[in-house]
Amino acid sequence: MSKLPPVLFVFVGLGLFGGWKFMRDIPSTGSSEILVSGERSLSATGLSPAKNEAITAFMNKDWTRAAEKFGQSLQSNSNDPESAIYRQNALIAQQESIGIVTVVPMSTNPNVANEILRGVAMGQIEINQNGGIGGKKLKVYIADDANEAKQAASIAQLVITKPDILAVVGSNASSPSLAAAKVYQQAGMVMVSPTSATPELSGFGNYIFRTVPPAEVTARKLAEYGFKVAKKTKTAICVDETSPDNAAFGNSYRAELLALGGSVIPTKCKLGRSDFSASAEMEAIIKSGADSILIAPHIERLPQATDLIRANRQRLVLFGSQSMNTNVTLELGGKESVGMALPALWHPALSEAQRFARQMEKLWGGKVNWRSATAYDAIIAINAGGKTCVREADMGAAHNCLARQLRSPSFGLVGSGQSLRFNGKGDRDMEAIIIKVAGQGVNRSFQLQSSSPAVAAKPELK
């Protein structure tokens, strides 16, 4: 099992960004190049000899050897969800199966992509161990949309032509989720986003769901915490307006803070600007009289957000949007990130989340974060809703059946923590919690804030 320090995973991912950015711009024409199930790796990191052998065997349809070699690869690198998914696909290759596509930003944000894939892999393993979806084993395809709307829409156009796919888990960011949702809704295929919080997905269509609530839910929780607990009443807001969910988060936070009696300090700070200067922006905010700052970046602009954290030098109290709930914040923000408060939807210290957290830690060799949890919830929701639907005469009828099942008032289950139920708009009904950055060095982590002493989590996997 790999014991590399978390910081190494962060910088490997960031360091290889340029090469993968070039690679993703090369057009792909074949569906096997876009939807992969074991024929090649999407990972930016080097492949082990065992994984290379496994991929070759998979391409040659030597399923037994492929499963064996993917298993060997996992023994040396247990936190690789791609290998776990490919191994499952090899094990069930000669059985009747049904497909789910998972769309992740592997080329631009491998850390986030792997967080999502760990939840998907866990769900696939459990489902197949229990007989599959309605008696059909679950095959998982992976696609890389680079967190880009155009790429997500192109993937969607391909997915809707595949006769064996029941549903889609994705995308990660809100812009690609919205672009893909248009295609899936028109084609009548279920899409479940595990992470997009943009209000624009609410009520988008009867085939569109997500396992997180809209941004206003988490923004309201954080504003209440900032005003009532942290006692900070003059907040500067720095958002990335190119990110629909973070722009909505900032607007909702502003409205809630004003309603509580606080004030929002005017600022020109916008994380999406090409000429963004963290030091200049922070000095201007300090001079404005603010006692706190809310930072809400697009997931692809975490480095700019952590530049702002370091430029603050612990002078203002830090608040962040849910996109900052990742180890990148801890590593790149360093000691200056300590004390930053964020809203969250899942944490391993929650009593109702501990069973799932233990299972994930056993499987992957370390703690996982909320994206793994909500991705797992997306997979098991599709499984629960689709059990009877896969017996329909054709896939179109199965898609329609699944959408009806997920929207049914009687649908509900316990997933990674909180209960899983969708409202009439396709959103998940759930409450947010507050976490804070605490600790030093490699022990720095997100801690759950509650009436009892905060419980520290181990560093998350990358």
Side-chain angles (χ1 to χ4, degrees):
M1 177 169 64
S2 174
K3 293 295 183 182
L4 293 175
V7 66
L8 182 58
F9 290 101
V10 174
F11 289 109
V12 166
L14 292 174
L16 290 171
F17 170 82
W20 273 91
K21 185 177 186 301
F22 170 78
M23 289 300 293
R24 79 169 192 264
D25 291 334
I26 300 174
S28 296
T29 55
S31 62
S32 63
E33 296 175 356
I34 298 172
L35 304 181
V36 294
S37 59
E39 306 88 350
R40 67 184 180 93
S41 175
L42 295 178
S43 176
T45 57
L47 304 185
S48 67
K51 190 168 182 178
N52 267 322
E53 289 183 55
I55 289 171
T56 299
F58 196 98
M59 291 178 65
N60 292 331
K61 299 184 179 182
D62 187 346
W63 309 122
T64 300
R65 182 170 177 79
E68 176 188 352
K69 289 298 179 180
F70 280 128
Q72 288 180 12
S73 180
L74 283 165
Q75 288 175 5
S76 61
N77 182 16
S78 66
N79 58 19
D80 174 17
E82 184 183 65
S83 287
I85 289 170
Y86 289 172
R87 179 175 181 271
Q88 280 293 305
N89 290 343
L91 287 171
I92 66 165
Q94 294 177 290
Q95 302 178 55
E96 188 178 13
S97 65
I98 193 162
I100 288 177
V101 176
T102 303
V103 186
V104 293
M106 185 63 81
S107 58
T108 56
N109 206 318
N111 295 323
V112 165
N114 282 319
E115 288 169 0
I116 293 170
L117 290 178
R118 288 189 186 103
V120 171
M122 177 74 168
Q124 183 190 23
I125 292 168
E126 284 188 0
I127 290 166
N128 284 339
Q129 285 177 343
N130 291 306
I133 301 179
K136 295 183 179 182
K137 294 300 179 71
L138 175 58
K139 179 178 182 178
V140 173
Y141 297 91
I142 306 173
D144 173 24
D145 69 358
N147 266 340
E148 291 185 351
K150 185 177 180 181
Q151 210 153 317
S154 296
I155 291 168
Q157 292 288 356
L158 171 64
V159 169
I160 62 175
T161 68
K162 306 293 283 183
D164 65 325
I165 294 172
L166 178 63
V168 177
V169 175
S171 287
N172 164 230
S174 289
S175 292
S177 292
L178 289 167
K182 293 179 183 178
V183 179
Y184 294 126
Q185 176 61 29
Q186 186 174 7
M189 177 174 284
V190 168
M191 174 190 118
V192 185
S193 173
T195 52
S196 173
T198 176
E200 294 177 75
L201 274 184
S202 293
F204 194 96
N206 58 326
Y207 289 90
I208 308 303
F209 302 84
R210 55 181 162 188
T211 50
V212 295
E216 63 188 41
V217 173
T218 50
R220 185 185 310 119
K221 184 72 174 182
L222 184 63
E224 289 176 353
Y225 173 87
F227 186 84
K228 296 178 180 179
V229 180
K231 306 295 184 183
K232 298 304 172 185
T233 61
K234 297 182 290 184
T235 303
I237 298 178
C238 188
V239 303
D240 187 339
E241 294 185 343
T242 67
S243 171
D245 50 350
N246 280 287
F249 184 93
N251 290 335
S252 295
Y253 186 97
R254 179 192 304 272
E256 185 67 22
L257 182 60
L258 294 175
L260 289 168
S263 60
V264 175
I265 304 301
T267 174
K268 296 180 180 179
C269 185
K270 292 181 174 58
L271 287 162
R273 279 172 34 194
S274 59
D275 61 345
F276 178 78
S277 169
S279 58
E281 296 292 354
M282 186 53 72
E283 292 309 313
I285 291 169
I286 294 290
K287 292 177 181 177
S288 72
D291 60 15
S292 51
I293 179 172
L294 170 67
I295 306 174
H298 188 287
I299 191 66
E300 299 296 343
R301 274 181 274 278
L302 285 175
Q304 290 92 318
T306 51
D307 284 347
L308 203 59
I309 290 173
R310 292 195 303 276
N312 178 50
R313 303 198 305 276
Q314 293 283 334
R315 290 175 289 177
L316 300 182
V317 170
L318 295 169
F319 302 121
S321 67
Q322 192 170 313
S323 58
M324 299 201 72
N325 186 356
T326 173
N327 247 35
V328 174
T329 299
L330 305 179
E331 299 297 344
L332 299 188
K335 64 181 181 180
E336 306 297 346
S337 67
V338 172
M340 184 177 209
L342 311 169
L345 300 171
W346 185 89
H347 191 279
L350 285 170
S351 58
E352 60 268 34
Q354 289 179 12
R355 179 194 64 82
F356 174 77
R358 287 193 298 269
Q359 290 176 325
M360 293 293 275
E361 183 173 357
K362 181 179 179 181
L363 180 61
W364 304 114
K367 296 288 186 182
V368 295
N369 81 353
W370 69 276
R371 294 181 185 87
S372 299
T374 54
Y376 170 83
D377 289 344
I379 287 287
I380 65 168
I382 293 168
N383 173 54
K387 285 181 177 179
T388 59
C389 298
V390 297
R391 302 190 186 101
E392 295 287 347
D394 60 68
M395 192 57 78
H399 294 160
N400 186 270
C401 172
L402 176 59
R404 291 197 314 271
Q405 291 289 334
L406 294 180
R407 287 189 179 273
S408 170
S410 63
F411 178 84
L413 52 91
V414 176
S416 60
Q418 295 189 47
S419 63
L420 176 56
R421 190 180 304 277
F422 299 103
N423 62 27
K425 294 182 178 180
D427 298 330
R428 184 177 186 172
D429 282 325
M430 68 186 305
E431 295 297 321
I433 56 177
I434 296 296
I435 58 176
K436 285 179 71 173
V437 179
Q440 298 179 351
V442 294
N443 294 319
R444 199 176 298 119
S445 64
F446 294 105
Q447 294 185 353
L448 176 65
Q449 301 301 291
S450 65
S451 57
S452 59
V455 182
K458 292 180 181 179
E460 294 164 6
L461 294 168
K462 301 311 295 174

